[in-house]
Amino acid sequence: MEQAIFEERRDQIHRTGEGPFELACNRDSLAGAVSQRACVFCGSRVVLYPIADALHLVHGPIGCAVYTWDIRGALSSGPELHRLSFSTDLQEKDVIFGGEKKLKAALLELIERHKPKAAFVYATCIVGIIGDDVAAVCRDVAEKTGIPVIPVQSEGFKGNKREGYTAACKAMFTLTGSGDTSDISPISINILGDFNLAGEIWIIRDYFKRMGVETVANITGDGRVDDIRRAHGAALNVVQCSGATMELAKMMQDKYGIPFIRASYLGIEDMADSLYAVAEHFKDRDPGIMERAQQVVREELSVLLPQLGQYRKDLEGKKVAIYVGGAFKAFSLIKAFRHLGMKVVLVGSQTGTKEDYEELAAICDPGTVIVDDSNPLELSKFVKELDVDLFVGGVKERPIAHKLGVGFCDHNHERKEALEGFVGMLNFAREVHASATSPIWRFVPRREAMAKAEAAKKEAI
Amino acid sequence: MSDSPYVSTTNACKLCTPLGAALAFRGVEGAIPFLHGSQGCATYMRRYIISHFREPMDIASSALGEKQAVFGGGPNLKKGILNVMSKYGASVVGVATTCLTETIGDDVPRLLAEFRKEFSDLPLPEIVHVSTPSYSGTHMEGWHAAVAALASQLVQVKAEPQRRVNLMPGLVSPADLRHLKDILADFGVAATVLPDISDSMDRPALLDYEKLPAGGTTLADIRAMSGALGSIECGRADHVAESAGANLERRFGVKNLRVGIPVGIRESDAFFAALEELTDVPTPKKYQDERGRLVDAYVDGHKYVAGKRAIVYGEEDLVIAMTAFLAEIGVKPILCATGATCKNFKAQLAAVTEGLLPEPPEAREGVDFHDIAEQAADLAPDLLVGHSKGYTYAKAWNVPLMRVGFPIHDRFGGQRMRHVAYGGTQELFDRLVNVVLERKQEDSAVGYGYL
């Protein structure tokens, strides 16, 4: 069994309660280890993707654009330019002679065709190698077209997703500070780090609205360029998915003096706490706000809790493995599973930081395996060893769980079911319940064998 | 050359070269695909392939970072191979390059020669390498280049003559492959299908998570390809300088017959004729009967589909095959489009529709969905035939999409979908007629109970 773990990766795996907690992370992935991670380009594409009225042009060979074509569930209430996949589709001769000319021509062509509010140009691996001056082309085209044309330095090999988040934040930061902020309420926020998967940001915005809070910019779910341009007029930044957008919040704090708080909209406590934290922030300016926040939570819970109880009955005691992109999401998931009576026995992420993992270790039960930048061999080993009933992850983890006869919940950017907010918690419970209690698992050979062994044991007694 | 008037690409109608190579390598027993490049490529391709097949797809990567991009990826390549050897126990490592490693100038053959020397004391796997810069060609070039690399690098000596047939099927579904293997078995010959993803990309539920999915062409069978009665290569489009079949013919005198992907009666006839030629066995009655039933079905269903106007898009070989099929049932292919460019796309479309259409269908290569859509506005199609990526257009134009090929990720069971030979064509035809009937029923104000 231990064979599944690479010697070089031993310090990226920890079992809580066994020795002092120290987990190596933020390392380059090990060659040949089949990491579940993507690249810098992926990181910036994820963050910027939902800005729906911007042109997103991938400067590189076709693959980078094609693999990110409309794969996410980020919805828009208006324009849908983000769902198209634009590429310069670099060819051999472009690689030899440079792609700047092609980039410029492609940009002019697409801006003319789509009249976007801004354009983001993503530099891919190859562009970094051939040394195209993407920034210069962008400046040139911005001048000609009169819209912001923003280079995103997202060369894939420059690190992992985290560097991509940074590149995205830098790109968005260039937009802030350029719009009119005169009509913005003093009780106002920007929502950072929510991508409106399956319409989630609409749920969250509604809660804030009911509290009397104006949302200036969605960054970036259902995002609009003009909103980001005036985002510096908001009184507070509320940051979810801190890995992705915390850096933008920090830059905005430094430059515009806008404070930020961290939030999560997943699960009951975290959702409620996020609303309360915003109310707390504004309570001096708006004395009634806490009351209204409590009212929102009360109303929602009165609908949610009775329904949740139904699911909990069947799920009590079942064991869960979590492997997600960002560690911050894992905190909320652990708490959400407690509401369902389920026990998290494995938790890992692609890109957690030292602080993330320390925090995770602190809230996990003893014996929980914590893992950074894992791979299919390790994950399948732990699923078996820890006798997991349900796995939470993304597309690449799904077949691992399914092959082992383990229920699965899709909790990544491709989800088409809203999992945030109080209503999202119900959807989450429903999905978890549907998979973990399905009768199909009894036919999966591993489960069948386990049931047989169990029966034989009982017989022996 | 591309038929697109635009510089930019919008919603590409192709995938990148290394993806095809990685998928092809998955069709060799004990093989692990290994991408020499940065981590993201392998991960994206895994995700893409998993969403179609719903099977694990482990692709190793040399996971190059900034340092390696500057100083060369050799050490990571070597270390990565050692790692997959130790953890996956792979007997074959299929190394495909990416745009990054092609451009920084990593000499993969030399690095692999060094690797074999440095670690000659270890039980080394076979390592097959293929050059797949993603700025050159499409996933189909990657696929065919990987197949050619497998044949040219693994088949080294002339094997004993055997009653075997080599089949290079092209990119068809696991269900198609199973059907083709049954046919070869019914001809009484052993078959070497290269690559064979029928098992590895459509696995049964088993006791354990397999590090490397079983199934795939065995090394021994690949080596014995030089002693076969002959080879059949499916796919009419010209891709690589020398295909696997051509390579085996040049070096070992193994007769190579090139046919289209056998979809439709005429293309299936050609496939069965090739089998008869190589094996000297007449087509078994079972398949004559299947053919007869298919003709009967064509007759029964012809009026439902007569004159329907279809846009066909996707991989060049599949587009040619589907066009052959549509033309023979009386559906009008009004635009045959592919994202690839190849020497003979238009000529082959003309060839497969000869005698069926008054003139060759309009064909465009090197195009994207924007190009296709622009033209479609005037063409007013009744039907789209292609993979899932055409869905948004089908929705926008309010016409049905008959999903075929790869990728199918907005429907279930793409890997179990049959397209080839008389049996596969039968299923396609039934589906197509039903797509048309369903639309007619839905569009009808009264919704007839009999159609």
Side-chain angles (χ1 to χ4, degrees), chain A residues 3 37 85 89 109 384 414, chain B residues 8 11 43 47 87 208:
Chain A
Q3 259 190 341
R37 273 182 184 168
S85 166
D89 188 8
E109 182 174 280
K384 285 184 289 185
E414 296 180 40
Chain B
S8 61
N11 296 346
T43 304
R47 189 212 140 280
K87 292 300 177 209
D208 206 348

Side-chain angles (χ1 to χ4, degrees), chain A residues 3 5-6 8 31-32 35-37 42 67 69 85 87 89-90 92 109 113 126 157 384 403 414, chain B residues 6-9 11 14 16 39 43-44 46-47 55 61 65-66 79 83 87 103 135 207-208 370:
Chain A
Q3 259 190 341
I5 296 169
F6 288 96
E8 289 102 319
S35 164
Q36 306 292 88
R37 273 182 184 168
C42 171
Y67 303 129
W69 172 13
S85 166
S87 169
D89 188 8
L90 289 182
E92 198 154 10
E109 182 174 280
R113 186 191 296 162
I126 191 77
F157 59 80
K384 285 184 289 185
K403 286 291 174 194
E414 296 180 40
Chain B
Y6 300 112
V7 179
S8 61
T9 297
N11 296 346
K14 61 179 176 182
C16 79
Q39 178 63 46
T43 304
Y44 271 132
R46 288 177 62 204
R47 189 212 140 280
E55 287 289 330
S61 165
E66 194 150 24
K79 186 172 185 188
N83 277 340
K87 292 300 177 209
T103 311
Y135 45 73
L207 265 178
D208 206 348
H370 181 76

Side-chain angles (χ1 to χ4, degrees), chain B residues 332-346:
Chain B
K332 246 179 119 166
I334 45 172
L335 175 62
C336 306
T338 180
T341 52
C342 58
K343 283 179 226 130
N344 59 348
F345 182 60
K346 286 164 193 168

Side-chain angles (χ1 to χ4, degrees), chain B residues 233-288:
Chain B
E233 277 186 321
C234 300
R236 284 168 168 265
D238 274 333
H239 288 102
V240 281
E242 188 180 49
S243 69
N247 180 280
L248 294 172
E249 184 165 54
R250 175 173 59 80
R251 289 192 297 148
F252 303 108
V254 182
K255 189 171 192 174
N256 185 37
L257 300 177
R258 182 85 178 270
V259 297
I261 290 179
V263 181
I265 289 178
R266 297 205 309 191
E267 292 291 87
S268 299
D269 284 349
F271 177 75
F272 279 92
L275 269 175
E276 288 187 352
E277 183 182 337
L278 292 183
T279 62
D280 249 338
V281 174
T283 297
K285 179 163 181 306
K286 177 175 165 188
Y287 298 103
Q288 293 174 22

Side-chain angles (χ1 to χ4, degrees), chain A residues 165-394:
Chain A
Y165 297 151
T166 305
C169 287
K170 281 185 183 157
M172 284 189 288
F173 188 60
T174 65
L175 274 178
T176 61
S178 56
D180 175 24
T181 60
S182 52
D183 61 342
I184 293 174
S185 152
I187 316 291
S188 58
I189 58 170
N190 297 311
I191 299 179
L192 270 64
D194 187 275
F195 305 106
N196 200 33
L197 307 169
E200 287 170 340
I201 212 167
W202 298 330
I203 298 169
I204 307 307
R205 277 183 69 126
D206 174 60
Y207 296 157
F208 285 128
K209 198 174 154 201
R210 283 153 66 187
M211 284 166 56
V213 177
E214 176 186 345
T215 303
V216 178
N218 305 330
I219 300 177
T220 52
D222 198 13
R224 298 291 183 277
V225 172
D226 284 347
D227 290 343
I228 300 173
R229 296 180 86 143
R230 62 202 282 272
H232 61 291
L236 177 70
N237 276 330
V238 182
V239 187
Q240 193 189 218
C241 189
S242 56
T245 51
M246 184 57 95
E247 232 160 309
L248 177 64
K250 284 183 179 155
M251 286 188 266
M252 288 178 75
Q253 184 178 43
D254 290 347
K255 184 156 177 191
Y256 308 111
I258 304 175
F260 62 82
I261 54 171
R262 286 170 77 157
S264 167
Y265 314 126
L266 297 165
I268 297 172
E269 291 104 330
D270 283 1
M271 183 65 245
D273 284 349
S274 298
L275 299 182
Y276 293 149
V278 171
E280 181 71 28
H281 181 84
F282 288 116
K283 70 171 195 274
D284 295 339
R285 269 180 248 177
D286 181 352
I289 193 168
M290 187 55 88
E291 173 102 1
R292 292 197 296 276
Q294 285 161 349
Q295 181 66 21
V296 170
V297 174
R298 248 195 322 272
E299 279 171 24
E300 294 289 329
L301 286 186
S302 68
V303 181
L304 170 67
L305 289 177
Q307 299 187 68
L308 218 49
Q310 293 300 314
Y311 295 118
R312 185 180 167 127
K313 276 194 308 208
D314 297 332
L315 296 172
E316 196 85 54
K318 289 195 185 285
K319 286 182 269 183
V320 184
I322 300 172
Y323 190 76
V324 286
F328 204 66
K329 181 156 78 184
F331 302 133
S332 296
L333 283 170
I334 291 171
K335 288 183 238 170
F337 278 118
R338 285 197 184 132
H339 275 284
L340 298 175
M342 298 169 83
K343 197 172 139 60
V344 174
V345 292
L346 166 75
V347 55
S349 91
Q350 293 169 19
T351 55
T353 61
K354 202 166 166 286
E355 297 75 36
D356 291 337
Y357 287 123
E358 275 165 7
E359 218 176 313
L360 266 183
I363 63 165
C364 283
D365 293 332
T368 306
V369 173
I370 299 181
V371 56
D372 174 60
D373 185 20
S374 198
N375 55 63
L377 296 187
E378 286 173 13
L379 292 173
S380 56
K381 166 195 145 72
F382 288 128
V383 164
K384 285 184 289 185
E385 199 177 285
L386 302 167
D387 191 16
V388 167
D389 298 292
L390 184 94
F391 199 116
V392 184

Side-chain angles (χ1 to χ4, degrees), chain B residues 255-413:
Chain B
K255 189 171 192 174
N256 185 37
L257 300 177
R258 182 85 178 270
V259 297
I261 290 179
V263 181
I265 289 178
R266 297 205 309 191
E267 292 291 87
S268 299
D269 284 349
F271 177 75
F272 279 92
L275 269 175
E276 288 187 352
E277 183 182 337
L278 292 183
T279 62
D280 249 338
V281 174
T283 297
K285 179 163 181 306
K286 177 175 165 188
Y287 298 103
Q288 293 174 22
D289 287 351
E290 276 188 7
R291 187 184 191 280
R293 278 194 289 273
L294 179 59
V295 174
D296 193 61
Y298 274 13
V299 172
D300 292 342
H302 78 280
K303 263 201 233 174
Y304 295 120
V305 297
K308 294 285 177 208
R309 300 155 56 82
I311 292 179
V312 192
Y313 61 84
E315 289 131 31
E316 48 282 33
D317 280 328
L318 194 69
V319 168
I320 295 167
M322 283 298 151
T323 302
F325 160 65
L326 294 171
E328 66 186 29
I329 61 170
V331 170
K332 246 179 119 166
I334 45 172
L335 175 62
C336 306
T338 180
T341 52
C342 58
K343 283 179 226 130
N344 59 348
F345 182 60
K346 286 164 193 168
Q348 292 298 324
L349 281 168
V352 297
T353 55
E354 170 89 59
L356 299 168
L357 299 176
E359 55 199 35
E362 170 159 16
R364 294 181 76 196
E365 50 187 315
V367 293
D368 56 25
F369 277 99
H370 181 76
D371 293 304
I372 296 171
E374 217 170 38
Q375 209 176 345
D378 297 328
L379 293 172
D382 301 307
L383 181 72
L384 297 192
V385 178
H387 49 70
S388 287
K389 289 300 184 188
Y391 164 69
T392 44
Y393 296 93
K395 185 175 160 74
W397 306 332
N398 192 28
V399 293
L401 164 63
M402 183 168 86
R403 288 168 180 79
V404 291
F406 170 85
I408 294 176
H409 44 219
D410 63 339
R411 284 292 181 276
F412 191 66

